Amino acid sequence: MSVKIKSVVEAMVTPFLAEHQFELVDVEYVKEGSNWFLRVYVDKEGGIDIDDCSRISEYLSAKLDENDPVPDAYFLEVSSPGAERPLKKADDFRKAVGKQVLITTYEPIGGLKEFEGKLVSYDEASLSIAIGKKTHTLPTDKVAGARLAIVF
């Protein structure tokens, strides 16, 4: 059910976002405790601000009321993906080359399931991440999750 809701919401909001030069980063429909949350993560060149989130939220709220694709009561949240932005699409990974990332895998690769380092390269089949002086090459189909990482 949540996959269907995510795809319906993506289809609703994408034309508005494209028209206003925003990028849809992710849509989540999750239950936390007794509450459902519909979260829409959006970005744009130079970052988004509270006014951008408000404008997108108002647009999406009206569209959701009009089409009513969500059967449960829920809270709508529109926000930036944050500094530790998730990497979901191929383009996200390409933009992250040269940056610090955290990659988790479905199964151990070389004894590890978590890799934090600099993303050296990415293509459809694999990515390379430098951790210290060692570079690990991971098949993309083994990547369970990926996000930018903040270096302290």
Side-chain angles (χ1 to χ4, degrees):
M1 176 63 101
S2 68
V3 172
K4 181 180 179 210
I5 291 170
K6 287 174 60 170
S7 63
V8 168
V9 170
E10 286 175 10
M12 276 184 198
V13 76
T14 298
F16 178 83
L17 296 177
E19 179 183 334
H20 295 90
Q21 287 78 47
F22 292 107
E23 172 194 358
L24 179 62
V25 175
D26 199 11
V27 175
E28 291 180 340
Y29 182 63
V30 295
K31 188 169 188 176
E32 295 177 1
S34 61
N35 297 314
W36 283 95
F37 291 86
L38 177 58
R39 295 188 176 111
V40 179
Y41 298 98
V42 181
D43 207 357
K44 73 176 183 184
E45 190 69 37
I48 65 169
D49 59 30
I50 193 76
D51 293 332
D52 295 328
C53 291
S54 178
R55 186 167 49 142
I56 295 163
S57 181
E58 287 172 15
Y59 169 83
L60 185 55
S61 183
K63 285 298 231 182
L64 289 164
D65 288 346
E66 185 180 303
N67 296 296
D68 200 22
V70 184
D72 310 295
Y74 61 92
F75 295 96
L76 174 63
E77 297 177 354
V78 176
S79 69
S80 160
E84 292 187 330
R85 166 192 183 128
L87 306 174
K88 301 256 182 184
K89 300 172 265 186
D91 200 42
D92 296 337
F93 283 93
R94 284 186 202 98
K95 289 178 185 175
V97 170
K99 296 180 180 172
Q100 192 78 7
V101 297
L102 174 66
I103 308 288
T104 56
T105 57
Y106 291 113
E107 58 194 45
I109 298 174
L112 301 172
K113 285 184 71 175
E114 192 171 284
F115 301 82
E116 185 169 350
K118 184 177 179 179
L119 185 61
V120 177
S121 67
Y122 171 84
D123 64 40
E124 301 297 322
S126 66
L127 58 87
S128 294
I129 183 169
I131 303 170
K133 294 182 180 190
K134 186 172 182 180
T135 299
H136 301 267
T137 299
L138 312 174
T140 55
D141 64 351
K142 301 292 184 205
V143 174
R147 65 173 171 78
L148 294 178
I150 297 174
V151 179
F152 291 101

